[in-house]
């Protein structure tokens, strides 16, 4: 069975500082990994995904994540935080079968950006 | 440019009442999903569908039923609501591409309170 662990339910950074949100996964097969963002009172939208190939994945809004198989990690980073980045972030792992793309989500990390 | 639309967006029920949440997508996606989101628990898969006329159980199916009579619609039903079903419900859809994880597109959520 696949699972995702997000370390830190709340992360606070200063505007302009590095953002680092941690995600570790467990999967019995090569994983597909995702980061989603949720702004208040909205649905989730895809930030980036790793399927195969290059382990450093770039997404929208300046975010990127690196797949490290040896560490079973897929941490999300952004060099310089902006106030508009304040949101909840979810890491997810996928098992793609004939039953579609069933995602297993982590419990989420609330990012706060302070002046 | 609607994407995934959920109705209603808010609903208050009394214990034992029944209701149906409607999800409609206009992207011609094969796969559709219902998730529930609870504080500190991330999103958990309730039921999903891989095509018109098919449904399957997810991680937390008890107390819910679903139907996919038309490709564009996925209904989630609560036959006898319980306070434990107070949650925010998200519908999502994705395209079908053999062996490749299609991005999930989410609706804006339906907030259900059961008294």
């Amino acid at each position: 069975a696949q699972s995702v662990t997000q370390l830190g339910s709340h992360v606070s950074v200063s505007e302009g500082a590095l953002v680092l949100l941690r995600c570790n996964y467990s999967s019995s097969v090569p994983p597909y990994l995702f980061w989603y963002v949720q702004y208040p009172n909205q649905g989730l939208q895809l930030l980036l995904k790793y399927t195969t190939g290059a382990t450093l994945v770039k997404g929208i809004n300046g975010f990127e994540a690196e797949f490290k198989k040896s560490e079973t990690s897929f941490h999300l980073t952004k060099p310089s935080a902006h106030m508009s980045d304040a949101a909840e972030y979810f890491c997810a792992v996928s098992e793609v079968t004939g039953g579609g793309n069933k995602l297993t989500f982590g419990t989420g990390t609330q990012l706060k950006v302070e002046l | 440019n609607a994407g995934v639309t959920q109705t209603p967006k808010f609903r208050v029920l009394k214990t034992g009442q029944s209701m149906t949440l409607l999800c409609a997508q206009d992207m011609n996606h094969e796969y559709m999903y219902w998730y529930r989101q609870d504080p500190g628990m991330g999103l958990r898969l309730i039921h999903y569908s891989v095509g018109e006329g098919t449904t399957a159980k997810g991680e937390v199916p008890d107390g819910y039923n679903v139907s996919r009579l038309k490709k564009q619609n996925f209904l989630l039903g609560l036959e006898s609501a319980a306070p434990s079903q107070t949650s925010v419900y998200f519908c999502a859809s994705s395209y079908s591409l053999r062996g490749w994880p299609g991005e999930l597109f989410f609706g804006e959520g339906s907030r259900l309170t059961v008294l």
Side-chain angles (χ1 to χ4, degrees), chain A residues 7-22:
Chain A
L7 296 175
S9 58
H10 292 82
V11 170
S12 183
V13 301
S14 300
E15 190 174 35
L18 171 71
V19 176
L20 171 60
L21 304 183
R22 300 179 185 274

Side-chain angles (χ1 to χ4, degrees), chain A residues 64-105:
Chain A
E64 61 183 35
E66 186 171 10
F67 169 62
K68 292 187 176 181
K69 184 178 179 180
S70 61
E71 299 177 8
T72 61
S73 69
F74 191 56
H75 301 330
L76 181 71
T77 61
K78 182 175 180 178
S80 177
H82 191 272
M83 295 296 289
S84 61
D85 295 326
E88 190 159 21
Y89 293 80
F90 292 92
C91 182
V93 63
S94 170
E95 183 178 301
V96 180
T97 66
N101 185 13
K102 289 182 288 184
L103 294 182
T104 298
F105 287 87

